[in-house]
């Protein structure tokens, strides 16, 4: 995975601290062209991975990308499914069974209900697989090396102890899409334990990591401990703590944590995108230099006598 | 371990189950639902003992507390039955179809000496908690007027009927959506005790209201406007806000952002003259397990701690939910005069 990944919250008026800002964003990104323009700025800044929900409007964006294969040659999308509000609204309107009937392609669910037959466990895993297929349709022909389960679903299943669906998702994504499964969660330590127990080692997990303890369930300390153990490939999200921390301070904190493979951020303006990329690069460079200095010091102290003996 | 059973594994029920399932001090002893499919999934994948008859569930599993998340019209008979058995109860909002049922349950709960809570989760939102603290401390002086608003995209086209579109089951914007705002105002300022005019308007629904506009009053002379519309698709999800005007300042708050204006040189610690902005991130305590907002986890943790006697148990009691039902019924009654 690339060090910096571009997110999509700003495109869909998701703002964790201000309804006013979210309104402004929804006006700014009313047209798909505004989204593409911002994506192009991100690409020009050296970011080639876009992580996005399976929102209806992403289908349009995918179409634009497909039409210009040369320009988007190195461009990758990490789909995150499902777009939870779509299903939440459907459940309010249609109930759980009605929602499944509406969103699972084909007659599979209807025939299940009509037949009145006893469902066997495999049926439910199959329903999940069909739903994954439905969500993946819009990405046809686009490079999607990692496919994520959204946090509301990951965490709902986690709390319900429905670990088989989490494992089932991982297996299916590998087998059908030849992609790495990823999980978004607000409960990193708990999820990691469950995935490991289900036989998924070193999973890709995207989770809140920030200086102010925002959405880090159980507290920052246990997250930092989990990171030090290096048991998973982490994408840090919500690094600005929902906007509560100044960007430079926030990025310094997260850049200096161990075992964070990627940092996910979203921004609307050219200046913010470029500043964020530069700041992360600056801290990464500093860390690299610090490592080299430390290595050289080690070499000076121990390495030469050893090699002399040899 | 607190032994919990749940009735009604729909949208709210599943959310409660997930949070309860992750709670270190909770054991889920039974789940009751009428959907065969839901029951099968929960039995097979979560390993819960499931029932289709809640009385049988209670008899067999002996829970310390029961969560009731079924359509509103069933709250009264089910909660009454549970109270008879002296079981602690958490029930979804709104509490009952009318205040007569609510007061009866509130009194029964008191007599039974059991913990009772209603799921008005906004009271566990950091910004609204801070609004209450400021108002109760008199930080913006004497309150003269308020505005309580909620908008969201629940019913944005003519569509199929569910219990939410049936007035006899507790559906409609006033009961389902505006109740949140009314409950917040009742808690932050004082219960709404009069309604001078109200309009309950259907936009897409056939049988229930999709929006509520009301001019209301509080005994002390404070006036207020309630403006709620669940057919507003310019909002991505429900947005609830309160504006409170006082002689010494003004508060505007939603679930994310709190803005306070102080006129003079008297203001609480951490604030200054003029506008102040605080974010929910600064005002929210972390939770042990996060699903869909800290407030959902916090209200459940609060209930569990009430059952184990670790807090004073005075948030979202049946008594406070009865007052909210009373305010709702005033607004409903007034609208029929229009």
């Amino acid at each position: 995975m690339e060090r910096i990944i571009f997110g999509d919250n700003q495109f869909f008026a998701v703002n964790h601290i201000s309804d006013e800002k979210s309104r402004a964003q929804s006006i700014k990104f009313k047209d798909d062209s505004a989204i593409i323009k911002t994506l192009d700025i991100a690409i020009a800044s050296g970011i080639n991975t876009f992580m996005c929900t399976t929102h209806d409007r992403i289908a349009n964006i995918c179409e634009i990308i497909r039409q210009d294969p040369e320009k988007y040659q190195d461009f990758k999308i990490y789909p995150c499914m499902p777009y939870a509000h779509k299903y939440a609204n459907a459940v309010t309107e249609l109930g759980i069974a009605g929602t499944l009937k509406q969103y699972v392609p084909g007659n599979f669910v209807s025939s299940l209900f009509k037949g009145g037959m006893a469902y066997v466990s495999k049926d439910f895993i199959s329903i999940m697989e069909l739903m994954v297929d439905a969500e993946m349709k819009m990405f046809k022909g686009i490079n999607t090396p990692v496919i994520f389960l959204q946090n509301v679903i990951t965490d709902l299943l986690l709390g319900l102890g429905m670990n088989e669906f989490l494992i089932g998702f991982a297996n299916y994504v590998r087998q059908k899409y030849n992609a790495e499964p990823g999980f978004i969660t607000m409960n990193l330590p708990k999820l990691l334990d469950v995935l490991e127990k289900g036989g998924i080692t070193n999973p890709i997990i995207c989770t809140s990591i920030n200086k102010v303890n925002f959405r880090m369930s159980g507290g920052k300390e246990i997250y930092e401990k989990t990171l030090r153990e290096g048991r998973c490939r982490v994408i840090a999200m919500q690094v600005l703590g929902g906007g509560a921390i100044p960007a430079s301070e926030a990025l310094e904190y997260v850049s200096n944590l161990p075992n964070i493979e990627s940092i996910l951020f979203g921004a609307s303006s050219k200046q913010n995108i470029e500043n964020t990329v530069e700041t992360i690069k600056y801290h990464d460079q500093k860390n690299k230099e610090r490592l080299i200095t430390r290595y050289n010091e080690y070499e000076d102290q121990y390495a030469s006598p050893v090699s002399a003996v040899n | 371990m607190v032994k919990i059973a749940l009735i009604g594994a729909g949208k709210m029920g599943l959310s409660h189950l997930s949070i309860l399932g992750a709670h270190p001090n909770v054991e889920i002893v039974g789940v009751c639902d009428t959907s065969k499919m839901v029951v099968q999934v929960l039995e097979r994948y979560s390993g819960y003992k499931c029932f289709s008859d809640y009385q049988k569930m209670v008899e067999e599993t002996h829970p310390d507390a029961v969560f009731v998340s079924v359509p509103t019209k069933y709250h009264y008979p089910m909660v009454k039955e549970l109270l008879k058995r002296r079981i602690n109860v958490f029930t979804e909002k709104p509490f009952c179809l009318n205040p007569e049922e609510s007061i009866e349950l509130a009194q029964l709960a008191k007599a039974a000496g059991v913990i009772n809570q209603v799921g008005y989760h906004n009271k566990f939102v950091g910004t609204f908690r801070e609004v209450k603290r400021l108002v109760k401390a008199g930080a913006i002086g004497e309150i003269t007027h308020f505005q309580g608003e909620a908008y969201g995209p629940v019913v944005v086209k003519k569509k199929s009927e569910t219990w939410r579109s049936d007035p006899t089951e507790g559906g409609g914007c006033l009961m389902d959506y505006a109740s949140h705002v009314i409950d917040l105002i009742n808690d932050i300022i004082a219960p709404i005790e009069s309604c001078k005019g109200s309009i309950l308007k259907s936009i897409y629904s056939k049988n229930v209201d999709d929006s509520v506009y009301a001019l209301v009053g509080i005994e002390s002379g404070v006036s207020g406007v309630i403006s709620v519309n669940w057919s507003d698709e310019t909002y991505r999800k429900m947005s609830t806000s309160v504006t409170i005007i006082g002689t010494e300042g003004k508060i505007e708050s939603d679930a994310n952002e709190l803005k306070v204006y102080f006129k003079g040189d008297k203001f609480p610690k951490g604030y200054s003259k003029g506008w102040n902005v605080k974010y929910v991130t600064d005002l929210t305590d972390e939770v042990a397990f996060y699903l869909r907002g800290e407030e959902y986890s916090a209200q459940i943790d609060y209930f569990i701690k009430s059952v184990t006697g670790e807090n004073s148990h005075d948030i979202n009691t049946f008594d406070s939910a009865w007052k909210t039902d009373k305010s709702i019924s005033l607004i409903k009654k007034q609208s029929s005069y229009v």
Side-chain angles (χ1 to χ4, degrees):
Chain A
M1 295 188 294
E2 288 180 58
R3 175 65 169 162
I4 307 174
I5 297 173
F6 199 61
D8 72 340
N9 273 354
Q10 69 284 359
F11 298 146
F12 302 119
V14 181
N15 189 296
H16 297 291
I17 56 166
S18 164
D19 281 1
E20 240 167 75
K21 280 182 194 145
S22 113
R23 171 67 51 87
Q25 285 167 344
S26 100
I27 293 168
K28 176 166 182 178
F29 293 108
K30 179 173 147 312
D31 295 320
D32 296 335
S33 60
I35 296 181
I36 286 291
K37 205 174 141 198
T38 306
L39 279 181
D40 287 347
I41 293 170
I43 293 170
S45 312
I47 308 174
N48 266 309
T49 308
F50 177 43
M51 189 157 157
C52 61
T53 45
T54 51
H55 192 287
D56 288 344
R57 285 186 64 196
I58 290 295
N60 309 342
I61 302 302
C62 288
E63 192 48 45
I64 295 170
I65 289 168
R66 267 191 295 266
Q67 280 166 8
D68 203 340
E70 211 166 299
K71 182 174 169 192
Y72 295 106
Q73 195 184 345
D74 299 322
F75 194 66
K76 291 180 275 295
I77 290 185
Y78 292 176
C80 309
M81 61 181 63
Y83 177 62
H85 282 289
K86 182 170 79 181
Y87 290 100
N89 290 340
V91 171
T92 306
E93 185 190 344
L94 307 164
I96 290 166
T99 301
L100 286 178
K101 275 187 206 162
Q102 170 127 343
Y103 286 105
V104 177
N107 293 321
F108 191 74
V109 175
S110 298
S111 55
L112 266 187
F113 286 117
K114 251 184 251 156
M117 57 175 133
Y119 320 107
V120 283
S121 64
K122 201 175 160 292
D123 293 337
F124 292 105
I125 299 288
S126 309
I127 289 176
M128 180 203 69
E129 293 175 353
L130 287 168
M131 291 175 98
V132 170
D133 291 345
E135 298 282 321
M136 280 304 290
K137 249 191 193 151
M138 66 172 83
F139 300 103
K140 200 161 183 246
I142 287 175
N143 188 10
T144 56
V146 187
I147 299 170
F148 282 89
L149 198 60
Q150 275 287 13
N151 56 290
V152 174
I153 299 299
T154 305
D155 291 333
L156 180 74
L157 295 170
L158 186 64
L160 290 170
M162 295 187 173
N163 308 341
E164 275 178 65
F165 283 105
L166 297 172
I167 308 301
F169 171 79
N171 292 339
Y172 188 63
V173 158
R174 278 211 180 100
Q175 168 215 321
K176 170 92 187 257
Y177 295 95
N178 196 22
E180 273 292 308
F183 297 89
I184 309 178
T185 183
M186 302 292 182
N187 306 286
L188 168 68
K190 193 175 165 67
L191 175 71
L192 183 55
D193 286 346
V194 164
L195 294 178
E196 284 178 343
K197 265 181 210 145
I200 301 177
T201 50
N202 205 21
I204 295 174
I205 299 181
C206 177
T207 192
S208 274
I209 308 250
N210 53 65
K211 208 177 170 176
V212 290
N213 229 350
F214 177 58
R215 306 265 151 97
M216 298 165 80
S217 307
K220 212 164 83 174
E221 288 70 31
I222 181 161
Y223 270 61
E224 288 177 356
K225 180 176 167 276
T226 308
L227 286 175
R228 279 196 303 273
E229 291 164 351
R231 292 149 57 202
C232 51
R233 300 171 64 190
V234 171
I235 300 175
M237 66 170 181
Q238 296 184 325
V239 293
L240 303 182
I245 330 163
S248 59
E249 195 184 323
L251 292 170
E252 183 179 359
Y253 169 77
V254 90
S255 302
N256 285 312
L257 286 173
N259 295 319
I260 289 184
E261 191 166 323
S262 307
I263 296 170
L264 171 70
F265 84 99
S268 310
S269 72
K270 186 167 190 260
Q271 198 191 353
N272 276 348
I273 294 171
E274 286 172 354
N275 280 349
T276 306
V277 171
E278 270 165 36
T279 311
I280 296 171
K281 279 190 180 154
Y282 167 79
H283 288 295
D284 284 351
Q285 183 59 33
K286 244 173 64 178
N287 282 336
K288 212 168 163 188
E289 282 164 12
R290 215 176 290 146
L291 267 181
I292 292 170
T293 317
R294 218 179 291 160
Y295 178 75
N296 287 343
E297 281 169 7
Y298 175 86
E299 280 265 294
D300 289 346
Q301 225 175 325
Y302 302 105
S304 340
V306 173
S307 58
V309 171
N310 286 341
Chain B
M1 288 294 239
V2 178
K3 285 160 62 179
I4 302 278
L6 179 136
I7 312 171
K11 192 164 115 180
M12 283 313 297
L14 284 177
S15 159
H16 291 327
L17 266 183
S18 177
I19 294 167
L20 287 164
H23 197 287
N25 201 21
V26 166
E27 181 195 353
I28 294 166
V29 294
V31 177
C32 179
D33 198 271
T34 50
S35 157
K36 259 193 195 161
M37 187 199 66
V38 169
V39 160
Q40 281 206 337
V41 173
L42 288 173
E43 275 177 342
R44 167 67 182 82
Y45 295 98
S46 298
Y48 298 145
K49 199 158 191 249
C50 292
F51 299 83
S52 56
D53 176 342
Y54 80 97
Q55 303 207 28
K56 194 173 159 217
M57 171 174 78
V58 168
E59 273 155 29
E60 275 186 31
T61 62
H62 306 288
D64 299 314
V66 172
F67 276 63
V68 180
S69 40
V70 293
T72 313
K73 82 162 172 183
Y74 302 111
H75 289 180
Y76 172 73
M78 287 184 175
V79 172
K80 195 172 170 180
E81 187 60 40
L82 296 168
L83 292 176
K84 262 199 236 160
R85 297 166 193 251
R86 293 180 183 271
I87 296 173
N88 301 301
V89 180
F90 180 107
T91 181
E92 257 316 313
K93 49 60 59 177
F95 188 21
C96 294
L97 289 181
N98 58 62
E100 292 75 31
E101 291 178 355
S102 318
I103 182 111
E104 190 187 332
L105 295 184
Q107 284 166 349
L108 277 175
K110 202 177 268 176
V114 298
I115 300 299
N116 50 93
Q117 193 174 318
V118 179
Y120 282 112
H121 52 78
N122 279 313
K123 292 209 195 92
F124 291 88
V125 171
T127 48
F128 293 135
R129 264 194 341 221
E130 179 68 358
V131 172
K132 183 179 176 180
R133 194 184 71 84
L134 291 171
V135 167
K136 296 291 178 202
I140 55 165
E142 202 180 310
I143 308 297
T144 58
H145 185 77
F146 64 83
Q147 194 157 324
E149 298 168 86
Y151 307 106
V154 180
V155 182
V156 290
K157 56 177 195 277
K158 286 203 170 80
K159 54 185 176 182
S160 59
E161 308 283 297
T162 69
W163 70 269
R164 283 174 213 276
S165 51
D166 184 346
T168 63
E169 295 210 6
C173 178
L174 173 62
M175 294 287 280
D176 203 337
Y177 228 53
S179 55
H180 279 293
V181 178
I182 294 162
D183 185 76
L184 257 186
I185 295 290
N186 282 5
D187 187 52
I188 292 169
I189 306 173
I192 291 167
E193 288 182 328
S194 67
C195 179
K196 313 213 165 26
S198 69
I199 301 167
L200 267 58
K201 217 174 201 167
S202 297
I203 303 167
Y204 302 106
S205 298
K206 257 185 267 161
N207 302 313
V208 294
D209 45 290
D210 292 320
S211 60
V212 178
Y213 307 103
L215 193 57
V216 295
I218 283 169
E219 202 189 12
S220 57
V222 180
S223 60
V225 171
I226 301 284
S227 173
V228 179
N229 180 352
W230 75 3
S231 298
D232 186 344
E233 70 166 34
T234 64
Y235 290 82
R236 191 176 64 91
K237 55 178 190 174
M238 185 180 193
S239 167
T240 304
S241 64
V242 293
T243 302
I244 301 171
I245 299 162
T247 51
E248 303 299 324
K250 176 174 160 180
I251 296 173
E252 288 179 17
S253 179
D254 56 34
N256 300 320
E257 193 178 22
L258 164 70
K259 290 180 255 182
V260 195
Y261 182 89
F262 290 109
K263 279 184 181 171
D265 292 320
K266 263 176 60 190
F267 38 78
K269 205 174 154 232
Y271 289 88
S272 56
K273 189 175 170 176
W275 280 110
N276 298 259
V277 182
K278 295 205 174 196
Y279 296 109
V280 68
T281 43
D282 307 323
L283 300 163
T284 304
D285 298 325
E286 92 198 26
V287 293
F289 178 77
Y290 180 100
L291 179 61
R292 50 194 288 241
E294 284 82 4
E295 62 273 25
Y296 294 96
S297 304
Q299 69 171 354
I300 287 180
D301 188 55
Y302 185 83
F303 178 74
I304 300 300
K305 289 204 166 100
S306 297
V307 171
T308 54
E310 291 168 76
N311 63 32
S312 55
H313 177 55
D314 47 14
I315 305 177
N316 282 340
T317 58
F318 282 4
D319 204 56
S320 78
W322 159 58
K323 286 175 186 147
T324 298
D325 281 350
K326 242 179 23 174
S327 306
I328 290 172
S329 114
L330 281 175
I331 293 171
K332 195 186 282 173
K333 219 175 268 167
Q334 187 63 38
S335 76
S336 61
Y337 301 137
V338 176

